[in-house]
Amino acid sequence: MNAMQRGGAYILFGGVVSAVGRALKPGVLIDSVDWNDLDGLVDAMADNEVLTHTSAVLYAFGLMFVLTGLNSIRHFVTDQGLVGDMVRGGTLLGMISLFVVGVIEGFDHMAVRVLDDGIGGNPEELAVAMQSVKLGIVLIAWPILYASIGIAGLGGTRLLPGGLHQAIQGIASLVMLATAVLLLMAASLESNDFWSVVQTITAIVLAIWIIALSHASYSGKVSASTS
């Protein structure tokens, strides 16, 4: 497999693993709470300590594979013009965003440890504060991630032959850019309903895009340069 094909395999595997980790996180599907209810989130984590640690590890582990996949794509694209700048720059910014999102999973480990060991004068208040910091980072990291994916995707449309694959990539890239704007708007809302709807729709579009791009890659239809 070339770098593009390996990158697709890494992203597909990492995406599945991180999705499982996210679904298992207390407060999401198990003991579900609203994203602004940080007290409820901390209580859910405290009631499911093992699951909190396990989900955080799975989520971060999956993201590391996605990072590896994006890095492979960066090395595959050799174009020296604007297309190359967009693809390599977008994937690099996406990698930085994903790295940050993966690292802050450590806040979940520490929140549970703070509660278990009674660290600080008010362990529950400290755990809530840690989750508040994590939420603030997530609210800016995800829009940056989607914007960077959109930029890389738009540049990458020039590396695909005209037809269905190019159309899917172009539409999906515009959806990613729109998602970045919508998520920034949703960050100020009191409920996570709008954020969840946008994330769900975007995840479906992203899945379709990954499948289409993987097919194009394994069919040898993706070029490393426009020249």
Side-chain angles (χ1 to χ4, degrees):
M1 292 191 294
N2 61 33
M4 185 71 182
Q5 292 170 327
R6 294 197 305 273
Y10 294 144
I11 291 174
L12 183 60
F13 174 75
V16 172
V17 173
S18 61
V20 171
R22 174 63 181 169
L24 292 176
K25 179 178 171 61
V28 178
L29 297 178
I30 300 171
D31 296 337
S32 180
V33 297
D34 190 274
W35 70 347
N36 284 324
D37 184 11
L38 296 179
D39 292 293
L41 175 60
V42 169
D43 289 339
M45 294 169 64
D47 294 337
N48 303 275
E49 295 179 12
V50 175
L51 197 56
T52 298
H53 292 303
T54 302
S55 62
V57 170
L58 281 176
Y59 190 56
F61 182 74
L63 291 182
M64 294 306 106
F65 270 90
V66 176
L67 277 171
T68 303
L70 290 175
N71 189 52
S72 293
I73 293 174
R74 285 189 69 248
H75 287 291
F76 173 81
V77 177
T78 59
D79 191 276
Q80 296 302 307
L82 180 60
V83 168
D85 292 342
M86 292 177 70
V87 175
R88 289 190 295 272
T91 51
L92 178 59
L93 189 56
M95 289 168 62
I96 294 173
S97 301
L98 283 178
F99 179 77
V100 171
V101 171
V103 167
I104 61 175
E105 286 302 300
F107 280 110
D108 288 357
H109 291 294
M110 281 306 301
V112 172
R113 182 175 177 183
V114 163
L115 293 171
D116 284 347
D117 298 344
I119 298 175
N122 190 328
E124 185 169 350
E125 188 175 295
L126 178 56
V128 170
M130 294 173 66
Q131 289 302 304
S132 179
V133 172
K134 179 185 175 183
L135 178 59
I137 297 174
V138 166
L139 289 179
I140 193 63
W142 275 105
I144 291 175
L145 173 63
Y146 283 124
S148 61
I149 291 176
I151 292 171
L154 284 179
T157 55
R158 292 286 307 279
L159 302 177
L160 287 167
L164 181 61
H165 293 100
Q166 191 178 62
I168 291 176
Q169 175 144 327
I171 293 172
S173 299
L174 292 176
V175 170
M176 298 302 121
L177 292 174
T179 298
V181 176
L182 291 174
L183 291 186
L184 285 173
M185 294 169 56
S188 61
L189 299 179
E190 295 182 359
S191 172
N192 66 341
D193 292 341
F194 182 68
W195 177 289
S196 298
V197 171
V198 172
Q199 284 272 50
T200 300
I201 294 174
T202 304
I204 294 173
V205 174
L206 187 58
I208 295 173
W209 182 14
I210 290 175
I211 293 173
L213 189 57
S214 297
H215 179 266
S217 175
Y218 283 97
S219 300
K221 296 181 179 180
V222 183
S223 302
S225 175
T226 56
S227 60

